[in-house]
Amino acid sequence: MAALHYEIHGRRRGRDLVLLHGWSLNLRVFDELTPLLARRFRVIAVDLPGHGGSDWNPHAATPAAQAWRVHETLAALTERYALLGWSLGGQFALDLAAAVPAPIEALILVSTTPRFLAAPGWPFGTAPTLLARLAEKLRRADPAALDEFLQLQVRGLTPRRAQRVLKVLRGALRQGAADPAALAHGLERLREADLRPALAALRRPTLVIAGSHDRIVRPNASRALAALADATYLEFAEAAHAPFLSHPQRFAEELEGFLHG
């Protein structure tokens, strides 16, 4: 399997920090955050399979195989690292922590849920209609499908802040469209995955970060994740699905405090 596309920022300062983005986007979404973090860490941002500059391999489409591609890419770059996953990237991070925990020193899960859809015993999930509508629009190649999803990510923010965050999200999307097959597999993963059984086995310091106005991964889902994983929970008031974009300075400070504490 080919290595995934990645970028490295900053010099080694005692700890590497890996960033995994969310569904349909790419590592460009971290461009505002990376300079803040690169002062203290060597930052490795990775494009998930089929996203940005990473190719899509139909023979490595299972969640386990995709996580292994991330691991193989990182194994050539670093021996120990803190792992930050945002949204779908957070589920990748949980898969990696369960399958190959040795290199991971700490986990940061941003706007992440172990189960995206509501289910018996899990009332914190999203209604299935959201994924169904999105999948149908992608199947019809509706050009507005992804932009509507981006707009949902900023809902609840103040108008000025929403405009600024949406500009970053749209800019990232323009610089690296995801493979349609990767998008479809990502939605299937969100529909079927249930990572709750693996949470009790996590043996790494973990920080769960949520936005109080998140309309995609509700704060109570992130709060429940933190409880199941025995993690520290941090909720950003006046933030939505991407708190590292709406509040980049505070996000970087909280992250540094967690990792150095």
Side-chain angles (χ1 to χ4, degrees), residues 139-232:
R139 188 187 65 81
R140 293 188 281 105
D142 186 339
L146 295 182
D147 194 69
E148 290 177 7
F149 181 69
L150 299 186
Q151 292 182 54
L152 184 60
Q153 296 188 38
V154 304
R155 193 167 298 171
L157 297 177
T158 62
R160 178 175 295 182
R161 185 169 280 163
Q163 184 178 23
R164 181 174 62 81
V165 173
L166 189 58
K167 181 179 179 181
V168 175
L169 294 171
R170 285 171 170 165
L173 194 62
R174 283 194 299 270
Q175 293 187 56
D179 187 288
L183 293 175
H185 275 78
L187 292 182
E188 182 66 19
R189 176 194 183 102
L190 292 174
R191 184 165 41 246
E192 300 296 336
D194 188 348
L195 305 179
R196 288 177 292 172
L199 296 179
L202 288 181
R203 295 291 184 269
R204 296 293 182 271
T206 302
L207 174 65
V208 176
I209 300 177
S212 63
H213 298 326
D214 195 339
R215 301 294 197 270
I216 297 174
V217 176
R218 300 283 181 171
N220 55 5
S222 293
R223 196 177 298 115
L225 165 62
L228 290 171
D230 193 23
T232 300

Side-chain angles (χ1 to χ4, degrees), residues 85-99:
W86 169 54
S87 198
L88 178 62
Q91 292 203 347
F92 270 76
L94 286 171
D95 281 345
L96 283 165

Side-chain angles (χ1 to χ4, degrees), residues 15-36:
R15 171 168 275 172
D16 288 343
L17 174 61
V18 174
L19 308 181
L20 303 179
H21 60 80
W23 181 82
S24 79
L25 288 161
N26 52 68
L27 57 76
R28 295 271 73 85
V29 78
F30 295 121
D31 280 354
E32 290 189 7
L33 180 65
T34 297
L36 301 176

